[in-house]
Amino acid sequence: MASLPVERGHFVWGSARQMAREPHRFIKDVALQHDGICAFRALHRRMVAVADPELAHELLVTKWQRFTRTRQSLNIGIIGRGLLALSGDEWLERRRLTQSAFTKGVLGGVAQASAEATKALYASWDAEQARNGSVDLEAGTLRLSMAVIARMLLSSDISGAMADQVGQTLRRGLQLILKRNTAIWSPPMWLPTAGNRALLEVRRELTGFISEHLSKHHEESSESSDLLSTLKSARDPRTDKALSAEALLEETKTLFFAGYETAATSLTWALYLIARAPKVGREAQRELDGVLCGRTPRYDDLPALPYIRAILQETMRVYPPVYALPRIAVGDDELGGYRIPRGTVVIVSIAGVHASPVWGEDRDRFRPERFLSGDWPRRAFMPYGAGRHLCIGSDFANVEMAIVLAMILQRYNLQTSTVVEPKARVTQVPDRAIKLCLTRRA
Ligand code: HEM
């Protein structure tokens, strides 16, 4: 069997420093520089970075049971025992149940909640633009995403100071998790270190906030377009079992956590990229004006907006919010003919797969048109992962992002002179605040 290409790194710590400083960039670059797969070491831990689409498919789809999620990637510290933290039969049962809650009615509800949240954003952006001559892009998309997820999951309208406070708690949690996951050594959770205490504090705040809202959500207020109601009434198609009260709390926390920053980040990148490429904005506006003639888009309109969908796909190709998926080999195994010893952490760089040579010479360019023909490399596009753990909220996110993007482009022309690079939080975010200048369309 062939031996893996190796990145040697420093003779003591290997590549641990690069992993701690810029994990998103390091994993992508090291894999791409070695034809899509490369071994490296972070102190004593042997790891493998993958950016080749076929190898990523083999790992995540064909061999998903032999390469499982690592303890670190599960972030049990703050989320609790929801879909992101479970494995084996327990995960499968929970996945079946939770999946059945994402009905078409819920997606219609997501479209409506997204349209309402965008109208609220119009008001705050108009005021901010008049006051400052520009708006803080990420602050707006984070507030909007919080409003949508809270409406769908907690049946609750949270905005203003409350939205900012919960958002800050979640982002503090994400930052602490990233620090813990990329540290050379992370202390066990029972040790009362400053980092562990801060994580537990985030968990307490989040659990308190969600439990309070769950107890307020009583049967009479249930609507079929609200995800919390469909989660409560979901039954396992095989056993007819419902989620226990504890599982409902854990799952709500997980969905809240998984769906908040990811969607906001994609929207931030999409609006940034459009503001830097006005031709793309104009093309989208032509499509929107032709299909909607100025009215608010609904769920049923989305199939008629292929260019909006292509912009979102291309945005997530260029800047995938979840930039890497770590897995661990449960036994001695192989990948693409290379030997992978038991216990090796193999990290799929989604950003690397999306920048692999199969995307052609212009792969570094933002060019939504590449998604308009049916002829693009399916296996080399995985913003929502691949295989059994494929994102459960992908339709939710696609509907939310398409409605919001459509409505923002209906109302404004976008411009920015800010230039940003991606930096790693748990998702891949811009490294500085983006000042977006909005001009109302005539
Ligand atoms: C643009 C937005 C989003 C992106 C890019 C994204 C990305 C991902 C990715 C890459 C995974 C796979 C993780 C793995 O294989 O280990 C995943 C899983 C998951 N996502 Fe998303 N996600 C997004 C939005 C959402 C939303 C809106 C929700 C919930 C409402 C959600 C809930 C989840 C859950 C629960 C899982 C775990 C699934 C399982 O293991 O069975 N995500 N997501």
Side-chain angles (χ1 to χ4, degrees):
M1 219 175 281
S3 2
L4 277 165
V6 179
E7 170 80 8
R8 300 239 163 262
H10 186 272
F11 73 104
V12 178
W13 41 79
S15 304
R17 282 184 157 175
Q18 290 99 312
M19 275 295 279
R21 232 182 273 141
E22 295 197 300
H24 58 310
R25 203 185 306 274
F26 174 70
I27 304 160
K28 172 182 168 184
D29 290 350
V30 82
L32 285 175
Q33 279 156 13
H34 294 88
D35 279 341
I37 185 162
C38 180
F40 65 96
R41 182 173 59 79
L43 275 184
H44 61 287
R45 299 209 72 176
R46 209 178 124 81
M47 303 194 189
V48 175
V50 171
D52 177 88
E54 293 307 317
L55 296 181
H57 183 86
E58 183 180 343
L59 183 91
L60 297 171
V61 182
T62 321
K63 297 186 172 163
W64 73 279
Q65 278 169 309
R66 284 147 53 185
F67 291 90
T68 58
R69 289 199 291 216
T70 62
R71 279 187 74 75
Q72 281 197 334
S73 68
L74 304 176
N75 297 323
I76 298 164
I78 76 160
I79 312 171
R81 289 180 58 74
L83 270 179
L84 284 168
L86 298 174
S87 55
D89 290 346
E90 214 182 343
W91 165 79
L92 186 60
E93 191 180 317
R94 184 71 68 78
R95 171 90 195 200
R96 273 201 304 264
L97 240 164
T98 309
Q99 184 114 37
S100 70
F102 285 79
T103 59
K104 206 170 157 212
V106 164
L107 296 179
V110 172
Q112 215 179 327
S114 306
E116 278 159 27
T118 314
K119 283 180 188 158
L121 185 71
Y122 285 165
S124 71
W125 269 5
D126 285 348
E128 194 180 342
Q129 173 70 37
R131 210 171 42 243
N132 303 337
S134 64
V135 299
D136 177 339
L137 174 56
E138 202 189 7
T141 56
L142 283 168
R143 223 178 302 128
L144 179 137
S145 176
M146 173 63 69
V148 175
I149 197 96
R151 167 109 303 277
M152 294 310 295
L153 261 179
L154 307 176
S155 275
S156 154
D157 289 320
I158 64 167
S159 55
M162 170 71 110
D164 289 346
Q165 191 195 330
V166 181
Q168 263 169 26
T169 304
L170 278 172
R171 289 198 302 286
R172 188 151 38 95
L174 288 164
Q175 199 61 49
L176 288 163
I177 288 173
L178 176 72
K179 209 163 152 200
R180 191 176 162 80
N181 283 359
T182 51
I184 288 171
W185 178 76
S186 46
M189 281 309 288
W190 52 262
L191 265 184
T193 60
N196 282 351
R197 278 203 308 271
L199 257 177
L200 292 174
E201 179 61 29
V202 167
R203 180 163 71 182
R204 241 190 323 273
E205 276 179 40
L206 198 59
T207 306
F209 171 75
I210 301 233
S211 314
E212 192 187 314
H213 278 83
L214 285 188
S215 54
K216 273 197 222 148
H217 183 269
H218 43 74
E219 290 299 325
E220 308 84 90
S221 73
S222 307
E223 303 162 29
S224 58
S225 63
D226 143 357
L227 185 56
L228 182 55
S229 305
T230 54
L231 266 178
K232 274 173 153 181
S233 57
R235 295 285 177 277
D236 186 316
R238 298 190 190 173
T239 58
D240 203 40
K241 259 179 34 192
L243 286 173
S244 66
E246 195 195 338
L248 183 71
L249 172 64
E250 299 298 1
E251 220 44 71
T252 309
K253 264 197 291 180
T254 297
L255 294 171
F256 198 72
F257 177 88
Y260 162 59
E261 193 180 81
T262 44
T265 301
S266 294
L267 277 167
T268 299
W269 284 120
L271 294 166
Y272 167 72
L273 286 165
I274 294 168
R276 307 277 315 161
K279 248 177 78 184
V280 171
R282 282 196 296 276
E283 189 56 38
Q285 285 165 340
R286 241 194 311 279
E287 176 177 272
L288 291 164
D289 296 346
V291 174
L292 301 170
C293 307
R295 73 173 165 76
T296 303
R298 295 185 296 259
Y299 175 62
D300 293 344
D301 293 314
L302 298 182
L305 301 174
Y307 197 68
I308 291 290
R309 188 168 56 245
I311 292 177
L312 292 167
Q313 286 173 309
E314 177 70 342
T315 299
M316 290 195 287
R317 185 188 71 82
V318 179
Y319 294 124
V322 177
Y323 54 87
L325 297 175
R327 296 290 192 264
I328 187 163
V330 291
D332 288 338
D333 219 301
E334 66 165 281
L335 200 60
Y338 294 115
R339 202 172 74 80
I340 308 284
R342 176 169 176 262
T344 307
V345 171
V346 184
I347 307 176
V348 174
S349 165
I350 297 184
V353 169
H354 289 184
S356 81
V358 294
W359 286 101
E361 292 289 307
D362 66 351
R363 57 186 176 275
D364 293 335
R365 270 187 60 208
F366 172 64
R367 198 173 64 79
E369 288 73 16
R370 73 178 84 241
F371 282 96
L372 287 179
S373 75
D375 184 26
W376 48 272
R378 297 286 191 277
R379 284 193 182 173
F381 184 60
M382 48 171 70
Y384 293 115
R388 297 296 281 269
H389 289 288
L390 187 74
C391 177
I392 205 168
S394 59
D395 290 342
F396 183 125
N398 285 336
V399 170
E400 171 182 350
M401 296 186 301
I403 296 282
V404 174
L405 182 60
M407 287 179 67
I408 289 175
L409 292 175
Q410 277 180 311
R411 187 174 175 97
Y412 303 111
N413 291 321
L414 314 175
Q415 263 183 309
T416 185
S417 54
T418 315
V419 178
V420 294
E421 289 291 325
K423 80 164 183 206
R425 221 145 50 194
V426 164
T427 58
Q428 176 172 242
V429 296
D431 63 351
R432 70 199 68 174
I434 297 168
K435 285 186 177 176
L436 188 68
C437 296
L438 307 170
T439 320
R440 280 287 294 276
R441 291 181 70 208

